[in-house]
Amino acid sequence: MDFQVVVLAGGTSKELIPLVSNEVPKALLPVANRPVLSYVLELLEQNNLKDLIVVVEGEDAALRVGGWISSAYVDRLHVEVAAVPEDVGTAGALRAIGHHLTAHDILVGVVSGDLVCDVPPGAVAAAHRRHDAVVTAMLCSAPVSGPSDSASSGGKDKAKKPGRYNIIGLDPTRQFMLFIAAGAEVEKDVRVQKSILRAVGQMEIRADLMDAHLYAFKRSVLQDILDQKENFHSLRQDVLPFLVRSQLRSELSLDGAQAEENGNDKAASLDNKVMLSQLMANASSQSFHEHGAMGPNGFVPFPRKTHKCCVYIASKSKYCARLNSIQAFSDINRDVIGEASHLSGYSFSAHNNIIHPSAVLGSKTTVSNTLLIPVGPQCMLGEGSQMGDKCSVKRSVLGRHCRIGSNVKVVNSVIMDHVTIGDGCSIQGSVICSNVQLQDRVVLKDCQVGAGFVVSAGSEYKGESLAKK
């Protein structure tokens, strides 16, 4: 296909401190002991999309990400790594590399490079081409998460709940996006233009779908918006809503939407808007893109010249999640060694776990979800790691070359590489970054410990973020 693929790999995300640092940018955070960016790159490779631009915020982060890609994907992918300034946002990142974009259509996948999924991007591209759309967004079921904002992985004794990400209005065929409220708008009273309802007759409102940050854009339209709307910072919160709002206008005229963007739309008064709770569904099942307009005096039978904002809704059987919070980091690590193990790329044992052959287990140590078998499911123990006697590990990922003492309990946690854990420690629902040292008898529950931090003997913490100043 005539698509360029742009992977927006972010930099050092504030939402992921202390997990990220100058040494470990977001794209290199480990999911089942592999950088999260590897899941995106291998998904693209499997779909024969091998010519990529990877955009990274910050020169240092770009060097680290580029170095890793060069060593991991030599002779497999052709990747150009482009550094952009920090905090420019997803729209700003694309604006900064605009001179690299030459194809007719651009498959922008995957924003921030943090998507872990098994949905083929080619399906999104095909839907985009089929409808000759200006943008096609992939939507998926909102992932089920743990109960809190901490790093707890939501064990069996804790309730799980789906996240609320967007309010999305779809046409009756569920192929076109008619309305979207994202970000802070989701928490407000959301109002919909009556002109939308007159045009389509019926709109299905969904609050259970997540914008997966995988888009196909028509290049010329995207670049016009980025050039003319210099204040646009985010694809999801600025560019996509703008395209959706303007699609009912004749042709795609950026100038025609200027009044709305300047705030003059308020002059239309609330009489021209309705609350979502007031929406009444009519019997229409036709796509408003394919038929005449519904004017104030009834149906107007002339061909409508609109641009199309399309959606591709992934099957509920597919896995789709974004690593955009500490909670999501824990959830995705849990899933990739559990229900979504097919994404890990590893060969699992007969007990559905991954224990590296070089790992050493002490006597009476169980790495399990149950004590009935010596090595159980939903755990991972990395290369060269050693565990002392009488340890218990459940539903957790342990990295490479870790040194674990005796009588240590690890539950629902992620422990990165080169971590030292003293005797008698208890770790639950926590994330321990690389080169951390936990001295004897440390107790951590729902905590994050930044790289290189030392936790003194006998300390107890709950819901804390510990990191070097």
Side-chain angles (χ1 to χ4, degrees):
M1 292 185 177
D2 181 27
F3 277 95
Q4 281 183 292
V5 181
V6 180
V7 180
L8 301 180
T12 53
S13 171
K14 295 180 177 65
E15 291 78 12
L16 289 162
I17 293 174
L19 277 58
V20 296
S21 63
N22 292 333
E23 290 72 30
V24 184
K26 177 181 179 180
L28 300 185
L29 278 178
V31 170
N33 289 341
R34 285 174 44 194
V36 63
L37 183 58
S38 69
Y39 291 85
V40 173
L41 298 184
E42 295 197 6
L43 177 68
L44 295 171
E45 183 183 30
Q46 291 163 10
N47 286 267
N48 204 33
L49 295 166
K50 299 181 180 181
D51 196 359
L52 319 173
I53 302 172
V54 174
V55 185
V56 184
E57 292 185 10
E59 293 284 351
D60 290 344
L63 286 173
R64 292 181 185 277
V65 172
W68 169 75
I69 292 175
S70 297
S71 61
Y73 291 91
V74 61
D75 298 328
R76 290 171 56 184
L77 298 175
H78 179 262
V79 180
E80 178 182 355
V81 177
V84 298
E86 296 182 24
D87 299 323
V88 295
T90 52
L94 281 179
R95 190 181 289 114
I97 64 157
H99 58 288
H100 291 284
L101 306 179
T102 57
H104 181 261
D105 291 313
I106 306 165
L107 181 63
V108 181
V110 176
V111 174
S112 295
D114 61 5
L115 185 67
V116 178
C117 81
D118 53 8
V119 181
V124 181
H128 182 74
R129 281 286 172 80
R130 185 167 62 250
H131 294 294
D132 189 28
V134 298
V135 61
T136 301
M138 187 175 92
L139 306 178
C140 58
S141 299
V144 174
S145 182
S148 70
D149 291 331
S150 73
S152 171
S153 293
K156 290 184 177 180
D157 57 333
K158 297 180 179 180
K160 299 177 185 178
K161 59 184 179 181
R164 186 181 184 188
Y165 292 85
N166 312 279
I167 295 174
I168 293 173
L170 302 175
D171 82 310
T173 68
R174 297 180 181 174
Q175 297 179 89
F176 303 105
M177 185 182 294
L178 310 179
F179 176 83
I180 182 169
E185 290 183 339
V186 174
E187 305 302 326
K188 301 177 182 178
D189 287 341
V190 178
R191 298 178 183 273
V192 180
Q193 291 284 353
K194 283 186 177 180
S195 59
I196 298 176
L197 300 181
R198 284 198 300 268
V200 71
Q202 178 180 350
M203 180 163 62
E204 179 181 350
I205 299 297
R206 300 285 294 270
D208 61 335
L209 295 173
M210 179 184 79
D211 178 353
H213 284 218
L214 196 158
Y215 309 106
F217 280 105
K218 186 168 289 186
R219 179 188 59 81
S220 58
V221 173
L222 176 63
Q223 288 195 309
D224 281 348
I225 291 175
L226 295 177
D227 290 345
Q228 297 186 32
K229 302 291 185 182
E230 294 182 359
N231 61 318
F232 280 7
H233 187 262
S234 165
L235 291 178
R236 181 174 71 92
Q237 296 189 32
D238 296 320
V239 175
L240 183 60
F242 172 76
L243 284 170
V244 171
R245 286 195 302 271
S246 61
Q247 68 183 317
L248 288 176
R249 296 179 175 88
S250 213
E251 297 286 343
L252 174 59
S253 171
L254 299 183
D255 294 336
Q258 195 68 45
E260 180 178 342
E261 293 303 315
N262 290 338
N264 296 335
D265 183 59
K266 295 178 181 177
S269 82
L270 296 183
D271 290 340
N272 290 325
K273 301 182 180 181
V274 293
M275 295 289 293
L276 288 182
S277 58
Q278 297 172 317
L279 289 179
M280 299 296 292
N282 297 327
S284 169
S285 62
Q286 297 176 324
S287 168
F288 79 107
H289 285 291
E290 298 169 0
H291 299 276
M294 186 68 71
N297 299 319
F299 187 75
V300 181
F302 62 85
R304 176 182 294 278
K305 294 183 179 180
T306 63
H307 68 273
K308 300 175 184 179
C309 299
C310 294
V311 296
Y312 176 85
I313 302 177
S315 166
K316 289 185 177 180
S317 64
K318 296 292 187 179
Y319 184 84
C320 185
R322 289 190 58 228
L323 199 164
N324 54 5
S325 69
I326 291 175
Q327 178 66 57
F329 175 81
S330 296
D331 291 341
I332 294 170
N333 269 280
R334 175 201 64 212
D335 293 343
V336 169
I337 58 170
E339 62 187 46
S341 59
H342 63 285
L343 287 170
S344 72
Y346 295 104
S347 297
F348 282 67
S349 73
H351 299 303
N352 195 29
N353 61 31
I354 311 162
I355 310 296
H356 195 275
S358 64
V360 177
L361 301 180
S363 63
K364 298 183 181 180
T365 283
T366 60
V367 182
S368 64
N369 198 22
T370 171
L371 299 180
L372 299 178
I373 52 179
V375 179
Q378 298 184 34
C379 285
M380 183 173 189
L381 186 58
E383 175 186 358
S385 288
Q386 299 180 8
M387 303 187 70
D389 297 337
K390 298 180 181 179
C391 292
S392 173
V393 181
K394 301 181 180 180
R395 299 182 297 277
S396 297
V397 174
L398 278 68
R400 302 174 181 87
H401 306 291
C402 294
R403 297 291 179 265
I404 314 297
S406 299
N407 295 295
V408 172
K409 295 183 179 180
V410 182
V411 181
N412 289 331
S413 295
V414 179
I415 296 174
M416 300 187 195
D417 298 342
H418 301 282
V419 171
T420 300
I421 300 178
D423 295 343
C425 290
S426 175
I427 304 165
Q428 181 177 343
S430 296
V431 180
I432 313 298
C433 293
S434 297
N435 299 300
V436 163
Q437 180 181 350
L438 305 185
Q439 297 179 349
D440 294 347
R441 303 180 312 283
V442 167
V443 177
L444 301 177
K445 183 175 182 181
D446 299 341
C447 291
Q448 304 91 47
V449 185
F453 195 83
V454 177
V455 183
S456 57
S459 300
E460 295 189 16
Y461 293 98
K462 181 178 180 180
E464 296 285 344
S465 180
L466 309 173
K468 291 181 177 179
K469 294 184 180 180

